[in-house]
Amino acid sequence: MIHPEGIGFIEREVRLYWLLKNVPDRIDLNWMSIAPNRRDFPPGTEGSHTSEDEETCFVEVSVSRDAPPPRTYLLQFVGTLKSADYRSVPSAEFTGLMYGPDQSYSREVFIYNSGEFKANGADSILHHSAARFQLDQGEWPVVALFPEARPKLNLEWVDPIGLESPEIPIVLFGGAAVSSLDYPRHLKPPHNAFNST
């Protein structure tokens, strides 16, 4: 089951949201995915998957949109990615494990299959948010990124949504440093907006 049957690939333009809370002194986009092909964050920082709708980000890191904690930032990226598509694997057993409360299984699947997916030109895995699935059995797309996906995404805006979320340095893919003030804010988010395929 670690290598489920029926995985296809899809290449498309994406608009992805990413939420970070408890950010200490900077946002380093090169921490979005690290070897061995799994997501990680600097100590103390928590973050969501990159999601195709904003609300899923808030659910994933247990942040209330009306009362986000200090040093919380919402970012948006656009780009074109080729993803291994886990959304329609025809297996109830796989779905139960992948979207269950034990995140170690989904991480194991991600690591185990990443080499083959990259050999097929994939730079990411498209699946549903386990947090949203546990909340309402909803199927809300999220994208897990391989390191190869990072330079294909362009940062569009940065919104310091938490109280006491000041201007912050951002390390872009590849290492260039900018300021969050170099990007526009996103003042009125569209609710439940996600990419259709």
Side-chain angles (χ1 to χ4, degrees):
M1 190 54 61
I2 197 72
H3 187 69
E5 304 247 342
I7 299 294
F9 296 88
I10 181 171
E11 185 167 11
R12 69 214 169 102
E13 292 184 11
V14 295
R15 185 174 304 279
L16 300 174
Y17 302 92
W18 193 43
L19 182 67
L20 291 170
K21 71 176 182 179
N22 303 325
V23 178
D25 58 350
R26 64 179 180 167
I27 296 173
D28 187 345
L29 300 186
N30 297 288
W31 280 86
M32 294 180 75
S33 292
I34 62 169
N37 301 316
R38 55 165 291 212
R39 173 185 302 279
D40 208 345
F41 299 98
T45 300
E46 295 180 55
S48 69
H49 275 89
T50 56
S51 174
E52 297 190 6
D53 76 291
E54 294 180 38
E55 207 56 44
T56 295
C57 294
F58 287 86
V59 172
E60 290 218 339
V61 290
S62 302
V63 167
S64 167
R65 188 187 285 273
D66 297 328
R71 306 193 75 84
T72 298
Y73 299 84
L74 181 64
L75 291 72
Q76 184 191 70
F77 301 88
V78 296
T80 299
L81 298 180
K82 182 176 182 180
S83 303
D85 190 353
Y86 273 51
R87 296 173 301 170
S88 58
V89 175
S91 167
E93 179 187 0
F94 175 79
T95 299
L97 290 169
M98 185 74 175
Y99 304 118
D102 182 3
Q103 296 182 5
S104 64
Y105 179 79
S106 61
R107 184 177 296 121
E108 188 178 355
V109 169
F110 183 79
I111 294 170
Y112 183 88
N113 294 298
S114 60
E116 179 181 339
F117 292 158
K118 287 196 290 185
N120 281 283
D123 46 36
S124 51
I125 294 178
L126 174 63
H127 58 98
H128 295 128
S129 166
R132 288 295 294 268
F133 188 81
Q134 293 165 34
L135 179 69
D136 57 16
Q137 300 295 295
E139 297 181 342
W140 295 87
V142 294
V143 180
L145 304 173
F146 297 146
E148 290 78 9
R150 299 189 308 239
K152 299 177 183 178
L153 295 172
N154 294 310
L155 180 60
E156 290 284 288
W157 49 255
V158 179
D159 209 353
I161 62 173
L163 296 174
E164 302 173 23
S165 297
E167 173 188 5
I168 192 166
I170 299 175
V171 180
L172 300 176
F173 309 124
V178 297
S179 165
S180 59
L181 293 183
D182 294 335
Y183 293 85
R185 294 183 62 174
H186 177 51
L187 299 176
K188 190 173 182 181
H191 289 288
N192 298 332
F194 60 93
N195 296 334
S196 58
T197 59

